[in-house]
Amino acid sequence: MLTLEDENLHRAVEQYARGAALDSIERMEGGVSAEVYHLVLLQPNGSKEHVVLRIHGASHYGHAAELEFRILKALSRAGICVPEPLSLDASCSLLENPYLIIAFVEGDSGLSLPICNASIETMAEALNSVHEVPVDIMPTLPRRTDPIPELLEFLPTDPEWNDFRGYLERTKSLQFSGKDVVLHGDFWPSNLIWSEERIVAILDWEDAAIGDPLSDVACAALELRYIHGKEAKDLFEKAYAKHRKVDPDRFALWLAYVSSAALKYMGDWGLEVSKEKHMRQTARATLREAAAVLL
């Protein structure tokens, strides 16, 4: 973990803003696959600048720092409320791993806010705004259009799921037939910053892709169910449907995908025992409901 005494960090600050001095550093919560710090820089004129340092360390599993920087640039130019990307260093000559410096956005995490119809509507509107970004302004991103191949890998192996596995194996593939959209890839309350009932920043674009918008909707719906229950999940689906059609069968497939993936990888997330138990129960319930729609 970086500290105020780290000389290389001071050099990185100097490289970003010549003449600026590092005034304070604070490790930020979240950032499962990246180390994230809030830096306060003291400028030569006496003013203070707040920035965020994102380090792509050994455990990083998302896009490379260079691609994440280009994603943020493109989205910022498109008017999406993302933190402005300020600097990139992938040389590993100053810090041990590639890093980005992005603007610090003042506000509250979506995890700290009570959920209500209005906030769910705001979340759905924000996600739709991402999906309306022209794909051709983005750097080359992976496509996420067919849930079935990976769903077959993620699906639990116990006998309860034999009929559903058989359905998936018979179907084999179900490519998206609509228009590709820009996908966030991990749209949930923790990645949203709010101020005065507005979303002022959408964070963490390391899983961004292009493809089927319902993959994002399913991810957000499951995460809302973990935190606020099934009603919040259903409300989000209905709120998003005001912007784009939600095909129930395809939505069920993506819900099965995200819940199965969660069951497979949740043990690697470092969760408290009670929280992991709750999330596993929720993911299994979601998977059962999704399978029932399709069988």
Side-chain angles (χ1 to χ4, degrees), residues 116-126 235 238-240 242-243:
C116 63
N117 287 2
S119 58
I120 287 180
E121 294 276 356
T122 300
M123 283 183 60
E125 183 178 355
L235 284 173
K238 292 176 182 176
Y240 184 83
K242 295 178 181 179
H243 302 279

Side-chain angles (χ1 to χ4, degrees), residues 41 43 46 91 98 141 250 268:
L41 311 183
Q43 300 290 355
S91 69
L141 295 171
R250 194 158 186 90
D268 301 329

Side-chain angles (χ1 to χ4, degrees), residues 1-27 37-44 47-53 55 95 101:
M1 186 172 73
L2 293 178
T3 66
L4 196 59
E5 289 71 37
D6 193 306
E7 293 183 3
N8 285 334
L9 177 58
H10 285 269
R11 294 189 183 100
V13 168
E14 174 68 18
Q15 176 176 277
Y16 160 64
R18 190 166 301 280
L22 179 60
D23 188 59
S24 68
I25 177 172
E26 178 185 7
R27 180 76 182 262
Y37 297 89
H38 174 199
L39 308 183
V40 179
L41 311 183
L42 186 61
Q43 300 290 355
S47 65
K48 290 186 176 181
E49 179 183 5
H50 293 252
V51 299
V52 173
L53 173 69
I55 304 174
L95 301 184
I101 296 176

Side-chain angles (χ1 to χ4, degrees), residues 165-180:
R165 182 177 294 277
Y167 162 81
L168 296 172
E169 289 173 341
R170 290 191 301 274
T171 307
K172 294 182 180 178
S173 178
L174 200 61
Q175 290 289 339
F176 178 52
S177 60
K179 182 180 178 182
D180 283 350

Side-chain angles (χ1 to χ4, degrees), residues 230-249:
K230 186 176 184 299
E231 182 181 4
K233 163 195 164 293
D234 294 341
L235 284 173
F236 185 78
E237 177 190 354
K238 292 176 182 176
Y240 184 83
K242 295 178 181 179
H243 302 279
R244 292 172 186 265
K245 181 180 178 181
V246 175
D247 177 85
D249 287 353

